[in-house]
Amino acid sequence: MTWQARLFQQAADGVEPQAVPQVLLHTGATMPAIGLGTFGSDHAAPGEVAEAVLGAAEVGYRHFDCAMVYGNEAEIGRALQAVMAGGVSRQELWVTSKLWNNKHAEADVIPTCRQSLADLQLDYLDLYLIHWPFPNHHEPGVDVRSRSGNARPYIHEAYMRTWRQMEMLVDLGLARHIGTSNMTIPKLELVLRDARIQPAANEMELHPHFQQPELFEYVRAHGIVPVGYSPLGSPNRPERDRTPGDTVDIEDPVVVRIAAAHGVHPALVCIKWAVQRGQVPIPMSTRRRNYLSNLRAVTEDPLTPDEMAAMAAIDRNCRLIKGQVFLWREGQSWEDLWDLDGQIAL
């Protein structure tokens, strides 16, 4: 039986959704403290990701992180319909989607959000993010040396024109919250200065070898929830995104030692650490064993204060998703995307 043909059934070995920790947003709403990522990348077809969404909901997930550019929202929409037909109310779900880089024009924001809603078969999104602060599109699967012919740097006035349309989505009831992704402190300072509706979340790369402590503390201090992608160090990222200096979080001796003490896989130590630290991890897996283990990890056997301190000490500042395809002129390095000197690169 295919996933489209079967009914939703709450799993006997799953986690009660009420047992999953919640994160409080500045609006007073709550978000489940762990979500299922849906970026299938090169290794999971849309139908396989949709099957994972249905299976994850059956074991207790209620938070799903989607994006139009992932190319699977229509399939996920059918899975979400099966979940709701099985008795899970829309209000119990938290669904995020994202505005892709070629849709930053003012005329494109609202229609693009409506298209995601149509594909996901929803009336509203809980959170809608601007996927990258650069309107620099690239085709799926391109080499990191690929560059858009229209690529340009972050231009705050242009970003705020896009943000005004994001604010309109809230006014129209199409998105309950709006947020940013892949931002830096210099960029966020400008957005917070000029926004009518402040970002509810910033999605960012976060894992034990890339803890981003300054940005992490900045967003939390400003009432912005840090949502962490690649929480396991992205072991399945495409080959094109790998560089010689990359490290492997789940092979770190500290992570391995703590995992042995708890009798779990090292990946689960990364998940426990993330939630206890105060970020919302969105690990992606299509394997039931893995996504169920990830969910259980945040509801039982927490890390001790000493273990949390040991995890804090293994940060290697190792960014894995460098974003080279979003650069805008020749001779640049990926560091220009991330404002490492505190200035927005032009």
Side-chain angles (χ1 to χ4, degrees):
M1 182 184 295
T2 65
W3 69 272
Q4 293 104 321
R6 70 176 176 84
L7 299 176
F8 170 86
Q9 290 185 316
Q10 192 69 46
D13 62 344
V15 173
E16 285 294 329
Q18 296 84 353
V20 176
Q22 300 284 315
V23 173
L24 183 66
L25 282 79
H26 70 80
T27 60
T30 56
M31 172 198 294
I34 180 172
L36 185 79
T38 63
F39 176 40
S41 185
D42 298 340
H43 66 279
E48 191 178 358
V49 175
E51 165 63 35
V53 168
L54 180 56
E58 289 178 329
V59 303
Y61 280 83
R62 295 295 181 263
H63 179 174
F64 302 97
D65 183 89
C66 309
M68 177 177 281
V69 76
Y70 299 164
N72 53 23
E73 287 192 328
E75 290 79 6
I76 290 170
R78 291 193 285 274
L80 292 175
Q81 283 299 303
V83 171
M84 289 186 283
V88 177
S89 71
R90 173 65 185 92
Q91 291 71 31
E92 293 177 72
L93 298 174
W94 182 281
V95 181
T96 296
S97 188
K98 308 179 191 78
L99 181 77
W100 186 241
N101 306 358
N102 60 349
K103 300 297 184 181
H104 281 208
E106 291 174 90
D108 289 339
V109 177
I110 294 173
T112 302
C113 180
R114 289 187 185 276
Q115 183 61 57
S116 278
L117 287 169
D119 288 341
L120 292 166
Q121 300 187 47
L122 300 174
D123 294 327
Y124 67 89
L125 292 165
D126 297 277
L127 178 62
Y128 196 52
L129 307 175
I130 299 180
H131 208 145
W132 286 84
F134 312 100
N136 302 342
H137 175 66
H138 68 83
E139 295 301 321
V142 297
D143 185 87
V144 294
R145 293 168 294 185
S146 175
R147 298 288 182 272
S148 166
N150 300 317
R152 62 179 191 265
Y154 177 84
I155 300 171
H156 181 63
E157 293 75 13
Y159 190 89
M160 288 309 299
R161 287 193 290 271
T162 305
W163 190 258
R164 297 297 177 219
Q165 296 301 306
M166 298 284 286
E167 293 172 328
M168 280 292 297
L169 294 173
V170 178
D171 296 339
L172 293 168
L174 300 177
R176 298 283 173 89
H177 303 85
I178 52 176
T180 56
S181 183
N182 296 298
M183 290 287 269
T184 62
I185 292 175
K187 295 182 181 80
L188 281 171
E189 284 181 336
L190 296 177
V191 172
L192 287 170
R193 182 193 70 189
D194 296 338
R196 175 171 63 88
I197 299 176
Q198 80 165 65
N202 182 60
E203 195 159 304
M204 51 202 275
E205 182 180 338
L206 289 169
H207 46 89
H209 282 182
F210 192 60
Q211 300 185 21
Q212 300 212 69
E214 186 180 5
L215 178 57
F216 176 79
E217 293 300 339
Y218 179 89
V219 298
R220 296 221 306 168
H222 288 82
I224 301 170
V225 172
V227 177
Y229 67 77
S230 301
L232 310 181
S234 194
N236 292 320
R237 69 190 182 280
E239 194 62 37
R240 64 178 179 272
D241 289 333
R242 299 173 187 264
T243 55
D246 293 350
T247 60
V248 183
D249 300 64
I250 59 176
E251 295 177 2
D252 187 287
V254 171
V255 176
V256 171
R257 172 177 59 79
I258 295 173
H262 288 259
V264 298
H265 190 282
L268 302 184
V269 173
C270 299
I271 298 297
K272 290 175 186 290
W273 166 81
V275 172
Q276 288 180 233
R277 186 186 187 218
Q279 62 212 44
V280 178
I282 46 170
M284 191 279 174
S285 179
T286 57
R287 295 180 180 178
R288 186 182 190 276
R289 179 189 63 190
N290 292 349
Y291 58 68
L292 176 54
S293 295
N294 290 340
L295 191 62
R296 283 180 177 162
V298 307
T299 63
E300 58 190 32
D301 190 24
L303 302 185
T304 68
D306 285 346
E307 289 168 339
M308 289 296 293
M311 292 290 288
I314 65 170
D315 188 7
R316 299 189 185 182
N317 195 31
C318 180
R319 186 185 293 277
L320 300 175
I321 309 303
K322 299 176 177 67
Q324 297 97 319
V325 291
F326 303 119
L327 292 169
W328 55 90
R329 54 181 164 80
E330 292 300 319
Q332 285 185 292
S333 67
W334 60 265
E335 288 89 349
D336 287 336
L337 297 166
W338 304 106
D339 309 334
L340 300 184
D341 62 355
Q343 301 294 320
I344 297 174
L346 300 175

